[in-house]
Amino acid sequence: MKYTGSVIKYGDNVDTDVIIPARYLNTSDHKELASHCMEDLDKTFVSRVKQGDIITAGQNFGCGSSREHAPIAIKASGVSLVIAKSFARIFYRNAINIGLAIVECPAAAEEISEGDTVEADLDNGIIRNITTGKEYKTAPFPDFVQKIIENGGLMQAIVNGAF
């Protein structure tokens, strides 16, 4: 799995309430959720995010409630990958379940800047900042996680007979 995109950067403790505010949880429409993604944290996110962009963030990304709406909103907005110092446990699993690629790499999350272009090869555990030329190592995803993400989520992987 390889991803290349421009970076949108956030800090520590980005919680699910700012990823997708509770007032929008009355819908499961992915496009509608994407249209409100990050609006309580970053009013410009929706207007500037492009297909394939990558979010970098600090510690405890996705803390808060266990809503699956949060990773759905991120993925539906066009973000291909989230790189953080750490993730809230339930967000991590929800992201994998819906097919959003996420990876913990503290050094990359710290050093990569807003607007940098990043290339990530998650099969081999390499993140490369194309803007600066710096490379970071991370653990590659296990095969079963790769299958889930490649199929667009756990349910689709099962439907496709990936397991």
mmCIF file of all heavy atoms in Angstrom, residues 118-141:
data_model
loop_
_atom_site.group_PDB
_atom_site.id
_atom_site.type_symbol
_atom_site.label_atom_id
_atom_site.label_comp_id
_atom_site.label_asym_id
_atom_site.label_seq_id
_atom_site.Cartn_x
_atom_site.Cartn_y
_atom_site.Cartn_z
ATOM 1 N N VAL A 118 4.311 13.987 1.132
ATOM 2 C CA VAL A 118 4.779 12.768 1.791
ATOM 3 C C VAL A 118 4.385 11.561 0.966
ATOM 4 O O VAL A 118 3.299 11.517 0.379
ATOM 5 C CB VAL A 118 4.174 12.668 3.219
ATOM 6 C CG1 VAL A 118 4.398 11.298 3.829
ATOM 7 C CG2 VAL A 118 4.766 13.745 4.112
ATOM 8 N N GLU A 119 5.295 10.595 0.948
ATOM 9 C CA GLU A 119 5.053 9.311 0.303
ATOM 10 C C GLU A 119 5.202 8.235 1.377
ATOM 11 O O GLU A 119 6.208 8.218 2.090
ATOM 12 C CB GLU A 119 6.080 9.118 -0.802
ATOM 13 C CG GLU A 119 6.000 7.815 -1.536
ATOM 14 C CD GLU A 119 7.093 7.738 -2.597
ATOM 15 O OE1 GLU A 119 8.236 7.406 -2.217
ATOM 16 O OE2 GLU A 119 6.788 8.039 -3.754
ATOM 17 N N ALA A 120 4.217 7.379 1.490
ATOM 18 C CA ALA A 120 4.273 6.315 2.491
ATOM 19 C C ALA A 120 4.129 4.961 1.807
ATOM 20 O O ALA A 120 3.191 4.751 1.031
ATOM 21 C CB ALA A 120 3.173 6.497 3.530
ATOM 22 N N ASP A 121 5.059 4.080 2.074
ATOM 23 C CA ASP A 121 5.015 2.699 1.601
ATOM 24 C C ASP A 121 4.774 1.834 2.836
ATOM 25 O O ASP A 121 5.715 1.478 3.550
ATOM 26 C CB ASP A 121 6.328 2.346 0.919
ATOM 27 C CG ASP A 121 6.398 0.897 0.478
ATOM 28 O OD1 ASP A 121 5.495 0.099 0.816
ATOM 29 O OD2 ASP A 121 7.382 0.543 -0.205
ATOM 30 N N LEU A 122 3.511 1.545 3.102
ATOM 31 C CA LEU A 122 3.164 0.838 4.339
ATOM 32 C C LEU A 122 3.415 -0.658 4.250
ATOM 33 O O LEU A 122 3.439 -1.342 5.263
ATOM 34 C CB LEU A 122 1.721 1.140 4.734
ATOM 35 C CG LEU A 122 1.435 2.617 4.997
ATOM 36 C CD1 LEU A 122 0.010 2.809 5.494
ATOM 37 C CD2 LEU A 122 2.426 3.219 5.975
ATOM 38 N N ASP A 123 3.637 -1.174 3.035
ATOM 39 C CA ASP A 123 4.029 -2.579 2.900
ATOM 40 C C ASP A 123 5.423 -2.795 3.470
ATOM 41 O O ASP A 123 5.726 -3.843 4.015
ATOM 42 C CB ASP A 123 4.017 -3.016 1.434
ATOM 43 C CG ASP A 123 2.619 -3.003 0.836
ATOM 44 O OD1 ASP A 123 1.645 -3.163 1.583
ATOM 45 O OD2 ASP A 123 2.509 -2.816 -0.390
ATOM 46 N N ASN A 124 6.261 -1.787 3.316
ATOM 47 C CA ASN A 124 7.651 -1.892 3.760
ATOM 48 C C ASN A 124 7.964 -1.034 4.978
ATOM 49 O O ASN A 124 9.098 -1.025 5.453
ATOM 50 C CB ASN A 124 8.588 -1.529 2.602
ATOM 51 C CG ASN A 124 8.485 -2.537 1.481
ATOM 52 O OD1 ASN A 124 8.685 -3.722 1.691
ATOM 53 N ND2 ASN A 124 8.132 -2.075 0.295
ATOM 54 N N GLY A 125 6.970 -0.278 5.466
ATOM 55 C CA GLY A 125 7.177 0.522 6.670
ATOM 56 C C GLY A 125 8.075 1.725 6.473
ATOM 57 O O GLY A 125 8.883 2.044 7.346
ATOM 58 N N ILE A 126 7.950 2.395 5.327
ATOM 59 C CA ILE A 126 8.783 3.562 5.041
ATOM 60 C C ILE A 126 7.893 4.762 4.749
ATOM 61 O O ILE A 126 6.998 4.700 3.902
ATOM 62 C CB ILE A 126 9.723 3.312 3.840
ATOM 63 C CG1 ILE A 126 10.662 2.139 4.142
ATOM 64 C CG2 ILE A 126 10.509 4.572 3.491
ATOM 65 C CD1 ILE A 126 11.429 1.647 2.944
ATOM 66 N N ILE A 127 8.158 5.849 5.444
ATOM 67 C CA ILE A 127 7.497 7.127 5.191
ATOM 68 C C ILE A 127 8.597 8.074 4.726
ATOM 69 O O ILE A 127 9.630 8.207 5.386
ATOM 70 C CB ILE A 127 6.820 7.670 6.456
ATOM 71 C CG1 ILE A 127 5.733 6.701 6.928
ATOM 72 C CG2 ILE A 127 6.240 9.066 6.206
ATOM 73 C CD1 ILE A 127 5.191 7.011 8.315
ATOM 74 N N ARG A 128 8.371 8.719 3.589
ATOM 75 C CA ARG A 128 9.380 9.627 3.061
ATOM 76 C C ARG A 128 8.780 11.002 2.844
ATOM 77 O O ARG A 128 7.750 11.142 2.186
ATOM 78 C CB ARG A 128 9.930 9.105 1.745
ATOM 79 C CG ARG A 128 11.214 9.798 1.373
ATOM 80 C CD ARG A 128 11.851 9.170 0.164
ATOM 81 N NE ARG A 128 11.980 10.293 -0.730
ATOM 82 C CZ ARG A 128 11.735 10.326 -2.011
ATOM 83 N NH1 ARG A 128 11.395 9.313 -2.639
ATOM 84 N NH2 ARG A 128 11.857 11.393 -2.705
ATOM 85 N N ASN A 129 9.420 12.001 3.429
ATOM 86 C CA ASN A 129 9.022 13.379 3.200
ATOM 87 C C ASN A 129 9.710 13.809 1.908
ATOM 88 O O ASN A 129 10.916 14.037 1.885
ATOM 89 C CB ASN A 129 9.440 14.265 4.377
ATOM 90 C CG ASN A 129 8.934 15.681 4.244
ATOM 91 O OD1 ASN A 129 8.703 16.170 3.138
ATOM 92 N ND2 ASN A 129 8.762 16.348 5.370
ATOM 93 N N ILE A 130 8.946 13.886 0.831
ATOM 94 C CA ILE A 130 9.512 14.246 -0.470
ATOM 95 C C ILE A 130 10.044 15.671 -0.435
ATOM 96 O O ILE A 130 11.055 15.987 -1.067
ATOM 97 C CB ILE A 130 8.474 14.042 -1.589
ATOM 98 C CG1 ILE A 130 8.153 12.549 -1.712
ATOM 99 C CG2 ILE A 130 8.965 14.602 -2.918
ATOM 100 C CD1 ILE A 130 7.001 12.228 -2.616
ATOM 101 N N THR A 131 9.389 16.532 0.315
ATOM 102 C CA THR A 131 9.807 17.931 0.404
ATOM 103 C C THR A 131 11.202 18.073 0.993
ATOM 104 O O THR A 131 12.012 18.857 0.503
ATOM 105 C CB THR A 131 8.786 18.737 1.232
ATOM 106 O OG1 THR A 131 7.484 18.580 0.650
ATOM 107 C CG2 THR A 131 9.139 20.205 1.295
ATOM 108 N N THR A 132 11.492 17.312 2.045
ATOM 109 C CA THR A 132 12.796 17.450 2.717
ATOM 110 C C THR A 132 13.769 16.310 2.406
ATOM 111 O O THR A 132 14.954 16.424 2.699
ATOM 112 C CB THR A 132 12.612 17.487 4.255
ATOM 113 O OG1 THR A 132 12.110 16.221 4.696
ATOM 114 C CG2 THR A 132 11.694 18.625 4.663
ATOM 115 N N GLY A 133 13.256 15.204 1.889
ATOM 116 C CA GLY A 133 14.099 14.043 1.608
ATOM 117 C C GLY A 133 14.301 13.116 2.793
ATOM 118 O O GLY A 133 14.935 12.078 2.676
ATOM 119 N N LYS A 134 13.754 13.462 3.947
ATOM 120 C CA LYS A 134 13.948 12.650 5.162
ATOM 121 C C LYS A 134 13.050 11.413 5.121
ATOM 122 O O LYS A 134 11.902 11.481 4.706
ATOM 123 C CB LYS A 134 13.652 13.484 6.397
ATOM 124 C CG LYS A 134 13.899 12.733 7.683
ATOM 125 C CD LYS A 134 14.556 13.563 8.723
ATOM 126 C CE LYS A 134 14.934 12.659 9.872
ATOM 127 N NZ LYS A 134 15.204 13.335 11.070
ATOM 128 N N GLU A 135 13.595 10.279 5.592
ATOM 129 C CA GLU A 135 12.835 9.033 5.664
ATOM 130 C C GLU A 135 12.631 8.611 7.111
ATOM 131 O O GLU A 135 13.482 8.859 7.968
ATOM 132 C CB GLU A 135 13.565 7.899 4.928
ATOM 133 C CG GLU A 135 13.372 7.934 3.458
ATOM 134 C CD GLU A 135 13.848 6.656 2.774
ATOM 135 O OE1 GLU A 135 14.294 5.703 3.458
ATOM 136 O OE2 GLU A 135 13.769 6.627 1.557
ATOM 137 N N TYR A 136 11.517 7.937 7.326
ATOM 138 C CA TYR A 136 11.146 7.444 8.655
ATOM 139 C C TYR A 136 10.749 5.983 8.516
ATOM 140 O O TYR A 136 10.133 5.582 7.534
ATOM 141 C CB TYR A 136 9.964 8.241 9.215
ATOM 142 C CG TYR A 136 10.198 9.723 9.216
ATOM 143 C CD1 TYR A 136 9.847 10.505 8.119
ATOM 144 C CD2 TYR A 136 10.788 10.357 10.304
ATOM 145 C CE1 TYR A 136 10.072 11.871 8.105
ATOM 146 C CE2 TYR A 136 11.012 11.727 10.303
ATOM 147 C CZ TYR A 136 10.655 12.472 9.198
ATOM 148 O OH TYR A 136 10.877 13.825 9.195
ATOM 149 N N LYS A 137 11.108 5.202 9.512
ATOM 150 C CA LYS A 137 10.742 3.780 9.545
ATOM 151 C C LYS A 137 9.577 3.583 10.497
ATOM 152 O O LYS A 137 9.499 4.203 11.556
ATOM 153 C CB LYS A 137 11.920 2.935 10.030
ATOM 154 C CG LYS A 137 13.125 3.007 9.137
ATOM 155 C CD LYS A 137 12.960 2.136 7.948
ATOM 156 C CE LYS A 137 14.258 2.128 7.151
ATOM 157 N NZ LYS A 137 14.129 1.494 5.888
ATOM 158 N N THR A 138 8.685 2.699 10.098
ATOM 159 C CA THR A 138 7.557 2.317 10.941
ATOM 160 C C THR A 138 7.276 0.842 10.694
ATOM 161 O O THR A 138 7.734 0.284 9.687
ATOM 162 C CB THR A 138 6.315 3.194 10.651
ATOM 163 O OG1 THR A 138 5.298 2.905 11.596
ATOM 164 C CG2 THR A 138 5.789 2.990 9.248
ATOM 165 N N ALA A 139 6.537 0.232 11.568
ATOM 166 C CA ALA A 139 6.205 -1.182 11.372
ATOM 167 C C ALA A 139 5.209 -1.310 10.222
ATOM 168 O O ALA A 139 4.229 -0.571 10.168
ATOM 169 C CB ALA A 139 5.602 -1.760 12.650
ATOM 170 N N PRO A 140 5.468 -2.219 9.287
ATOM 171 C CA PRO A 140 4.490 -2.444 8.223
ATOM 172 C C PRO A 140 3.212 -3.032 8.815
ATOM 173 O O PRO A 140 3.236 -3.669 9.871
ATOM 174 C CB PRO A 140 5.160 -3.459 7.313
ATOM 175 C CG PRO A 140 6.544 -3.639 7.797
ATOM 176 C CD PRO A 140 6.639 -3.065 9.167
ATOM 177 N N PHE A 141 2.100 -2.792 8.134
ATOM 178 C CA PHE A 141 0.850 -3.403 8.581
ATOM 179 C C PHE A 141 0.928 -4.918 8.432
ATOM 180 O O PHE A 141 1.493 -5.416 7.449
ATOM 181 C CB PHE A 141 -0.324 -2.939 7.723
ATOM 182 C CG PHE A 141 -0.885 -1.606 8.110
ATOM 183 C CD1 PHE A 141 -1.249 -0.708 7.129
ATOM 184 C CD2 PHE A 141 -1.097 -1.250 9.425
ATOM 185 C CE1 PHE A 141 -1.796 0.516 7.454
ATOM 186 C CE2 PHE A 141 -1.642 -0.035 9.766
ATOM 187 C CZ PHE A 141 -1.989 0.849 8.778
#
